Amino acid sequence: MRRWHCVLSNYHERLAMELGMIGLGRMGANMAKRLMRGGHRVVAYDRDAAAVAKHESNGGVGATSVEDMIAKMTPPRAVWCMLPHGQITEDAIAQLGELLSPGDVVIDGGNTYFKDDVRRAQELAKNGVDYMDVGTSGGVWGAERGYCLMVGGPKEAFARLEPIFVSLAPGIEAAPRTPGRTGAETSAEHGYLHCGPAGAGHFVKMVHNGIEYGIMEAYAEGLDLMNSQEQHPEESGMRYDLDLREISELWRRGSVIGSWLLDLTASALFEEPDLERFTGQVPDSGEGRWTVMTAVENAVSTPVLTAALYRRFRSRRTATFADRSLSAMREKFGGHSEK
């Protein structure tokens, strides 16, 4: 791994390094920017030539192909894939396995099922290439806020690439130190952690996203309940026209349910109180399903996470057969109309 120059960090002396990046979408491009601000050399490839040109205009090194990217790097190399989950990532990692040399490292920073990581690590090891999985949380805000990194793979590879993780992570200043923690700072306090061997990073990220589903669903249901109260019969004295913008803003201050997700919710409500431009059809990116599947395999009860996933499924359908069945049953046993 080429060392370009030294940068002094408040955590430890940090060496500027070289990294290959495949994928310059919103996440990949922002991560490349943050790395370059940290003094690292980023050689990047994307099928979109315009994205590569923009990377070059930001001070990065562009490549016209994966082969060209590898040729522009100095062994031992590290190549980070930041691509959508699925065949495109499988193909990219398989290609890297054929092109890279013993001692090189392949990193998957996208959303991947942890069992696939275990398989890939075993396949790449046959050629002496290390594999690391990095669960990456931070979204479109990560370029400025930093990324929470959950890392799986060989300890030796993690140690060698630690300067990369230091630059991408938020740093110690992102949150107050937990009361009772004394002594040397840990990597987790800086926003990155070696969680275990191949697959461990994406396993932790999978559970992270399952929890995210549950938290988001709880906020959504609470807001819906408050919004519905204005429909209460006026004569009851319990019709409340609640200002959800101000309530969400209030909860950000001193409430036990405060969080960054609540911060974002308050921002959305401030910009558009009725949220009318949203359809309410919520996709799932895969981790929620994998979380529930793993819970079943491990016989672990996760009712909140499971219900949150099912609610996303339900959001994509209107007037389902189940809905019509319920209406039919209500009419038959009680003469209840749909209205």
Side-chain angles (χ1 to χ4, degrees), residues 24 36 42 44 49-64 68 72:
L24 290 170
M36 290 188 292
V42 181
V52 176
K54 187 173 182 180
H55 173 70
E56 292 176 325
S57 70
N58 289 330
V61 180
T64 57
D68 183 42
K72 291 178 176 177

Side-chain angles (χ1 to χ4, degrees), residues 39-226:
H40 304 287
R41 181 177 189 261
V42 181
V43 185
Y45 167 70
D46 192 284
R47 292 186 299 184
D48 182 358
V52 176
K54 187 173 182 180
H55 173 70
E56 292 176 325
S57 70
N58 289 330
V61 180
T64 57
S65 66
V66 175
E67 292 86 350
D68 183 42
M69 179 193 69
I70 292 173
K72 291 178 176 177
M73 299 178 67
T74 301
R77 309 171 188 86
V79 179
W80 189 303
C81 291
M82 206 64 195
L83 298 168
H85 164 67
Q87 196 60 46
I88 186 172
T89 297
E90 288 287 348
D91 292 344
I93 291 175
Q95 182 182 16
L96 288 170
E98 296 174 357
L99 296 173
L100 293 176
S101 305
D104 291 345
V105 181
V106 174
I107 305 162
D108 179 8
N111 294 324
T112 290
Y113 191 27
F114 72 97
K115 293 183 179 181
D116 291 332
D117 293 315
V118 176
R119 169 179 52 79
R120 292 174 184 169
Q122 293 170 348
E123 292 172 352
L124 291 175
K126 297 174 184 176
N127 295 330
V129 176
D130 286 328
Y131 177 83
M132 303 190 74
D133 51 287
V134 181
T136 306
S137 182
V140 296
W141 301 90
E144 302 303 325
R145 289 172 54 97
Y147 301 89
C148 177
L149 304 172
M150 295 146 267
V151 186
K155 288 183 179 179
E156 298 77 14
F158 170 80
R160 179 157 66 91
L161 297 178
E162 195 164 5
I164 296 292
F165 304 134
V166 169
S167 291
L168 287 173
I172 190 71
E173 64 278 2
R177 204 170 195 200
T178 299
R181 275 188 176 264
T182 58
E185 299 165 1
T186 69
S187 70
E189 292 181 278
H190 283 256
Y192 69 97
L193 180 68
H194 182 253
C195 299
H202 277 145
F203 182 89
V204 174
K205 177 59 162 50
M206 175 189 75
V207 177
H208 164 284
N209 279 34
I211 293 170
E212 176 188 304
Y213 281 29
I215 294 172
M216 292 173 69
E217 179 63 21
Y219 282 139
E221 291 179 11
L223 291 168
D224 194 26
L225 180 59
M226 288 188 292

Side-chain angles (χ1 to χ4, degrees), residues 9-10 28 31 34 40 76 92 119 121 135 137 142 145 158 181 193 196 210 225 229-230 238 250 258 263 318 331:
S9 165
N10 63 351
M31 293 173 77
R34 188 171 176 89
H40 304 287
R119 169 179 52 79
S137 182
R145 289 172 54 97
F158 170 80
R181 275 188 176 264
L193 180 68
L225 180 59
Q229 195 64 18
E230 65 178 342
M238 292 179 286
L250 169 70
D263 295 344
T318 57
E331 182 183 67

Side-chain angles (χ1 to χ4, degrees), residues 280-294:
Q281 297 183 19
V282 187
D284 65 288
S285 57
E287 294 96 326
R289 299 188 189 205
W290 301 332
T291 301
V292 172
M293 290 163 54
T294 304

